[in-house]
Amino acid sequence: MPFDLTSSLILALPELALAIGAMALLMIGVFSGERANATVTGLAVALFLAAIAWIVLFPSYGEAFDGAFVSDPFARLMKLLTLVGAAVTLVMSVGFARQEKFDKFEYPILIMLSTLGMMLMISAGDMLSLYLGLELQSLALYVVAAINRDSVRATEAGLKYFVLGALSSGMLLYGITLVYGFTGSTGFEAIAASLSGGERPLGLVFGLVFILAGLAFKISAVPFHMWTPDVYEGAPTPVTAFFAAAPKMAAMALLVRVVMGAFEPVAFDWQQIVVFIAIASMALGAFAAIGQRNIKRLMAYSSIGHMGYALVGLSANSPEGVRGVVIYMLIYLAMTLGTFAVILAMRRNDTNVEQIDDLAGLVTSNPMMATIMTLLMFSLAGIPPLAGFFAKWYVFLAAINAELYWLAVIGVLTSVVGAFYYLRIVKVMWFDEPVGAFQPMAGELRFVMMLSGAFVLFYVLFGGPVGRLAEAAAMTFF
């Protein structure tokens, strides 16, 4: 019907703008050649900003395309986080891409198509739209990981991500077929209605396990984390920053939507799986990072641990648990972007350095960078009164109120262990013998670093409005 189609298209306008914009920029790049590289990047960032402005200024809620696409307060907030992560990492990558000679027009277009897939994932109301969004995101990310064709490490990272990603997609698709077979539907609402009858066939539980396994791969949660350290280390640093930011927002939002929407009637079953994944991720993230010497690899294990902390909130299966997840992801995004701005600025003799020891004595050559990096490390460790402390506070509080006391205790203990490797970076910067100054920091990197540092330091002053936004998003499911 024309009216339904029109209203559906209006609800999906930001996604349509990104899709049409990506095709238009592809044409500009193809016909203009290398001269268009900077233009295409600038226009891609402008499209991201336009999508952010539309979502903020013209919020619209409802279902589109017969329930396959959902627009609600939760989707709105998570899309904003995803778009901010994509836009900031694209801006941060400009200088690095030029220096490493992979500043091709294809790069921003692939980032746009990947982000489009993420937005479709966040608004998925059907297993088919979930899978389409996930594959659109993943296929672009496989290519972006190996975008620097002159680097053997980047090629290896892209290949590893592709092979393991294809395996996880197969598991997810198999889970979807099992759920469809036992419920007769792919729509989240219809699946939930079918499960409300009380029957839980064994095959349906298997389907749930396979779907959660596929989604756990996307957030790099244990035991589906195998790709993360190698891809983070091998991919170009701006690509690693993108992996650590935007896709994590979308995948976590999708996981919340699937378990709180389609599988809400079988909460007892998925809670057990999520609790196991949370504990395993927190433990591995805390202990495996201790021996790392490469800072990108350390950030990979750090991200695994942080996804585990976020899943603690989801385990609670309550409004405050979902609120905790949203707040955690928002704060994690700010901390990650600031940290990667510093990592991107680690350049000597026109070459990026990635060892933690390369930060030795940073306070003598660049006190501002050392101070902000210290704030970010303390925040990632969860030390009060920085933003990272409040992120963990909300998810642990949700677990305690859901009577998951032991889960909160494990979370606190792994936080203490994890603090060791963050504090080691602080010790290297402030107390080790200087090994030489870095090259002057690019303006965009300095801006992102300072903004991120201000966010984690002053979060206590504006945490209330952020909490209310997260609470409104969480009430979508209750």
Side-chain angles (χ1 to χ4, degrees):
M1 291 183 290
F3 177 76
D4 285 342
L5 179 60
T6 304
S7 58
S8 294
L9 292 175
I10 290 171
L11 276 177
L13 204 57
E15 288 79 2
L16 285 171
L18 284 187
I20 295 167
M23 296 301 104
L25 292 182
L26 184 61
M27 292 298 101
I28 292 171
V30 167
F31 289 109
S32 302
E34 290 189 7
R35 292 171 298 153
N37 293 349
T39 307
V40 170
T41 302
L43 289 172
V45 173
L47 276 166
F48 283 141
L49 295 177
I52 290 170
W54 180 269
I55 291 171
V56 170
L57 298 175
F58 306 105
S60 52
Y61 305 129
E63 292 185 353
F65 307 111
D66 201 23
F69 184 94
V70 180
S71 181
D72 52 33
F74 178 78
R76 182 185 175 212
L77 183 53
M78 296 310 290
K79 281 181 187 178
L80 284 174
L81 296 184
T82 303
L83 286 165
V84 167
V88 171
T89 47
L90 188 53
V91 169
M92 283 164 54
S93 68
V94 172
F96 186 97
R98 193 184 307 114
Q99 287 151 352
E100 298 296 319
K101 309 228 171 3
F102 69 88
D103 55 332
K104 310 295 183 189
F105 71 86
E106 293 95 333
Y107 176 66
I109 293 169
L110 286 166
I111 294 287
M112 281 184 70
L113 290 172
S114 175
T115 307
L116 171 62
M118 293 174 211
M119 293 175 73
L120 293 175
M121 286 162 58
I122 293 168
S123 281
D126 187 284
M127 289 295 177
L128 297 180
S129 56
L130 173 158
Y131 191 73
L132 286 173
L134 202 66
E135 286 305 289
L136 177 58
Q137 176 223 29
S138 299
L139 291 171
L141 290 183
Y142 301 149
V143 182
V144 168
I147 193 78
N148 189 1
R149 290 177 294 180
D150 297 330
S151 167
V152 176
R153 284 202 317 168
T155 307
E156 182 187 344
L159 188 60
K160 280 181 179 174
Y161 191 30
F162 169 68
V163 171
L164 292 170
L167 176 66
S168 79
S169 292
M171 293 169 68
L172 178 72
L173 201 54
Y174 183 57
I176 290 172
T177 59
L178 284 173
V179 170
Y180 175 68
F182 282 97
T183 63
S185 178
T186 56
F188 290 178
E189 287 185 5
I191 291 171
S194 175
L195 295 176
S196 297
E199 288 187 25
R200 283 204 298 269
L202 185 61
L204 185 66
V205 176
F206 270 103
L208 170 62
V209 170
F210 275 110
I211 288 172
L212 290 182
L215 296 179
F217 177 91
K218 298 303 175 187
I219 60 170
S220 61
V222 178
F224 308 99
H225 65 285
M226 300 81 67
W227 62 275
T228 316
D230 292 336
V231 173
Y232 270 48
E233 184 182 0
T237 308
V239 175
T240 306
F242 180 67
F243 277 21
K248 290 280 196 297
M249 303 297 119
M252 186 61 78
L254 179 58
L255 181 58
V256 172
R257 192 175 287 286
V258 168
V259 297
M260 289 293 178
F263 296 112
E264 197 277 329
V266 289
F268 180 73
D269 293 313
W270 64 253
Q271 267 181 295
Q272 295 176 71
I273 301 168
V274 171
V275 166
F276 167 75
I277 292 174
I279 293 171
S281 299
M282 290 188 295
L284 184 112
F287 288 99
I290 289 173
Q292 302 305 319
R293 291 289 175 263
N294 182 292
I295 194 163
K296 285 164 66 178
R297 212 172 167 83
L298 182 141
M299 288 303 292
Y301 284 110
S302 170
S303 80
I304 293 168
H306 282 288
M307 291 306 105
Y309 295 124
L311 289 174
V312 170
L314 185 58
S315 304
N317 186 27
S318 64
E320 59 183 349
V322 177
R323 182 187 68 163
V325 173
V326 173
I327 292 173
Y328 202 101
M329 297 310 293
L330 188 154
I331 293 172
Y332 170 77
L333 176 67
M335 297 186 296
T336 301
L337 292 175
T339 304
F340 273 98
V342 173
I343 295 171
L344 278 162
M346 291 169 61
R347 286 185 75 82
R348 287 197 189 97
N349 305 319
D350 288 329
T351 306
N352 260 67
V353 290
E354 297 175 0
Q355 299 304 306
I356 293 170
D357 292 338
D358 289 310
L359 288 164
L362 180 63
V363 70
T364 59
S365 59
N366 195 331
M368 184 181 74
M369 188 195 289
T371 303
I372 294 179
M373 186 64 163
T374 300
L375 282 173
L376 293 168
M377 291 298 105
F378 282 164
S379 184
L380 283 164
I383 294 173
L386 302 173
F389 166 77
F390 292 100
K392 289 179 179 173
W393 168 266
Y394 284 117
V395 292
F396 292 161
L397 190 64
I400 290 167
N401 289 337
E403 298 183 359
L404 298 170
Y405 306 115
W406 51 276
L407 182 59
V409 169
I410 292 171
V412 171
L413 293 175
T414 53
S415 291
V416 173
V417 175
F420 169 79
Y421 54 82
Y422 295 123
L423 295 177
R424 189 181 71 207
I425 294 175
V426 175
K427 173 255 179 190
V428 167
M429 291 190 297
W430 287 81
F431 301 112
D432 283 14
E433 284 296 314
V435 291
F438 294 132
Q439 290 170 215
M441 196 175 193
E444 64 271 13
L445 296 180
R446 188 182 296 108
F447 177 75
V448 172
M449 179 188 74
M450 292 176 71
L451 203 61
S452 178
F455 180 91
V456 300
L457 182 59
F458 299 115
Y459 178 81
V460 67
L461 301 179
F462 54 83
V466 171
R468 286 191 289 275
L469 265 177
E471 191 169 1
M475 292 313 293
T476 300
F477 302 106
F478 297 93

